[in-house]
Amino acid sequence: VKEIVGRMKGVVSFVLICTAVAYGNYDYCLAPPTTTSVDTQGLTLASVQVVFRHGDRTPTVPLPTWPATWDCSPDFLLDHSYNRDAVLPVPARLHRLVMMPGREDLKGNCALGQLTAKGYQMHLTLGNEFKNLYIDQYKLLNPNFDATEVWVRSSNVPRTIQSLMGNLRGMFPPTPNGRSVDVIDIHTMDNDFEDLWANPKLCPRIEQYEKELVNAPEYKQELAKLDTLYEKLKTVFNTSVPPPYNNLFDNLWARHCHSLEFPPGLTYENSLVPITDFINWYARYTWMNPLYAQLTFSPLLSEIVGKFETFVQNTTKTHKYVAYSAHDTTVGPLGAFVGAFDGVWPPYASHITMEMWKNDTNGQLFMQTKYNGVVSTSVVPGAGTMVPYGEWLKKMKSILPTDYQKLCQVQ
């Protein structure tokens, strides 16, 4: 058991992806675009909440022996800090963070896990798609950013913050002249309190239950399918303990998305495909486990549900549009929790949208959930594409625990 857990150390908190070879048209390097909603005749869009993954990034872990060279842009430009209520001038000077050569974990000029120019562009594009839907087509929001309509949140990680900035820029393009500088509050929190990922600080039982899952017979049976590859990795890296599978996939997929070479002996077909078969099995094994879902994402889902409830109670003083900039380990498990997960690892810029629609005649409310542009009919089975809000709310409350603190106590 110790050997198995050691070989896969970290996989529970950072499972990885499936491949185009194994799963048809799947593309980890970019999620499909968002799409128009369906069955909206006689309805008006009232409120939207969206949760998305950051864009393309560098690896979060380096590989020993066989580093790749990375070139990063854009850099993070910084202006001065101002008091919250200060009148902001147009900045005359910006500051740039530059990695010092030879003093970074990756070869080149990039930090670990840094958003790339490609990743920023992904969110400019996704934000523009949201603009086309929620501003131009459905008239939910004003064309100019309005803080009374829009509320945004991000994990306190540079790549998610920058992705959100790009997304908002695509959604609300700055006007060229004659308008004051927009100040957009990006809400965040310290990691000890963060519920945009599975956080043992919030729920101590998470770690205990993860250990139970990796000690289960079905887990060991799936992992054993990779024994031959594990021996190959020993040779490739000239070590008795090669890098964990999660580290390899983090690094190799980042390389693949930038057409950078793999370590000699490893190819897309002979390494990524067999491991990603296991990894996607593991994602379904954990994320679609009702208890694991409750332990990990009840706080976030409760927040999302609560914001919709507040909107229904007071539509005039509540934000119409709420966005959460987060991670693959947010979008995938949250999608599984609400019944909208497609069973494969979320690509860059993956997104869940939850839309509230109002009947123009009788005021009845409906919910429509989309995962990477695909309307889900499994959130409330049998309810179709437009789920009556009452049924949706009943379903969400039925999957949330009645006593989260008690559930999270170590057994």
Side-chain angles (χ1 to χ4, degrees):
V1 171
K2 289 182 179 178
E3 180 185 1
I4 292 173
V5 174
R7 283 162 56 177
M8 289 301 292
K9 185 178 181 182
V11 73
V12 174
S13 60
F14 193 69
V15 188
L16 292 152
I17 53 191
C18 86
T19 66
V21 172
Y23 297 96
N25 295 323
Y26 172 81
D27 181 10
Y28 174 81
C29 300
L30 177 61
T34 191
T35 57
T36 56
S37 305
V38 300
D39 298 329
T40 61
Q41 300 88 345
L43 304 176
T44 297
L45 186 62
S47 178
V48 174
Q49 294 192 56
V50 56
V51 184
F52 50 71
R53 185 189 179 189
H54 57 76
D56 177 271
R57 57 154 172 77
T58 63
T60 60
V61 288
L63 283 186
T65 312
W66 302 108
T69 301
W70 294 86
D71 181 24
C72 281
S73 177
D75 299 302
F76 208 158
L77 296 177
L78 304 174
D79 189 20
H80 299 287
S81 295
Y82 295 93
N83 292 330
R84 181 181 180 87
D85 297 323
V87 176
L88 300 190
V90 176
R93 176 179 296 160
L94 296 173
H95 303 82
R96 193 193 331 263
L97 291 177
V98 180
M99 297 300 296
M100 296 176 65
R103 298 191 181 187
E104 69 273 50
D105 290 304
L106 299 175
K107 287 182 64 177
N109 60 2
C110 304
L112 290 171
Q114 182 174 337
L115 190 74
T116 64
K118 210 170 155 182
Y120 187 80
Q121 182 61 50
M122 287 178 183
H123 272 284
L124 279 174
T125 300
L126 183 61
N128 189 253
E129 291 170 3
F130 289 154
K131 174 184 181 295
N132 292 338
L133 282 183
Y134 301 133
I135 296 175
D136 299 338
Q137 183 173 349
Y138 297 136
K139 312 297 183 186
L140 175 70
L141 304 171
N142 290 315
N144 295 323
F145 178 85
D146 184 343
T148 66
E149 294 186 331
V150 178
W151 187 92
V152 297
R153 176 183 161 192
S154 173
S155 64
N156 197 9
V157 178
R159 63 180 174 272
T160 56
I161 295 171
Q162 288 180 286
S163 292
L164 178 56
M165 292 164 64
N167 196 283
L168 289 171
R169 188 178 184 88
M171 195 169 182
F172 301 98
T175 52
N177 293 303
R179 195 162 177 264
S180 60
V181 175
D182 285 325
V183 180
I184 301 177
D185 289 335
I186 297 176
H187 299 83
T188 191
M189 62 188 70
D190 287 328
N191 287 350
D192 284 353
F193 302 90
E194 186 58 80
D195 59 13
L196 288 174
W197 54 64
N199 191 346
K201 293 289 182 69
L202 297 178
C203 183
R205 195 178 172 192
I206 290 174
E207 287 185 338
Q208 181 189 42
Y209 194 53
E210 287 174 343
K211 290 177 181 177
E212 292 176 19
L213 291 172
V214 298
N215 285 329
E218 55 265 46
Y219 174 88
K220 298 176 185 180
Q221 183 178 352
E222 287 294 322
L223 183 62
K225 296 177 182 178
L226 299 178
D227 285 348
T228 301
L229 177 59
Y230 189 74
E231 293 303 314
K232 180 180 182 63
L233 294 174
K234 289 182 182 180
T235 301
V236 169
F237 291 98
N238 192 27
T239 179
S240 60
V241 183
Y245 295 135
N246 57 304
N247 289 6
L248 285 166
F249 270 88
D250 173 78
N251 193 290
L252 295 180
W253 265 109
R255 294 180 189 223
H256 178 75
C257 294
H258 286 262
S259 301
L260 296 175
E261 64 179 358
F262 284 14
L266 296 184
T267 67
Y268 187 85
E269 290 78 13
N270 73 13
S271 58
L272 290 182
V273 171
I275 301 177
T276 51
D277 283 343
F278 165 75
I279 292 304
N280 282 281
W281 171 87
Y282 185 85
R284 295 186 293 271
Y285 171 61
T286 52
W287 295 350
M288 299 179 78
N289 178 309
L291 176 56
Y292 187 76
Q294 286 184 323
L295 293 173
T296 53
F297 278 91
S298 290
L300 179 58
L301 182 57
S302 294
E303 179 177 334
I304 291 170
V305 171
K307 285 187 181 297
F308 277 123
E309 288 184 293
T310 301
F311 179 82
V312 171
Q313 293 163 5
N314 192 348
T315 58
T316 60
K317 295 185 178 180
T318 308
H319 299 100
K320 297 179 183 179
Y321 180 86
V322 175
Y324 304 80
S325 183
H327 305 266
D328 41 8
T329 48
T330 313
V331 174
L334 179 65
F337 197 6
V338 302
F341 179 50
D342 64 2
V344 296
W345 197 261
Y348 292 132
S350 285
H351 46 282
I352 301 171
T353 55
M354 301 182 190
E355 302 172 347
M356 175 178 283
W357 292 81
K358 185 175 182 179
N359 187 291
D360 295 336
T361 302
N362 59 24
Q364 184 180 1
L365 297 174
F366 296 88
M367 298 295 298
Q368 184 162 117
T369 302
K370 290 182 278 189
Y371 183 85
N372 285 338
V374 177
V375 176
S376 174
T377 58
S378 57
V379 175
V380 179
T385 58
M386 281 289 179
V387 180
Y389 172 70
E391 293 184 31
W392 178 88
L393 186 61
K394 181 179 178 181
K395 173 63 183 294
M396 295 302 106
K397 299 221 169 176
S398 74
I399 61 178
L400 287 167
T402 54
D403 189 338
Y404 183 66
Q405 297 304 319
K406 183 177 180 180
L407 183 70
C408 284
Q409 293 174 2
V410 173
Q411 303 295 304

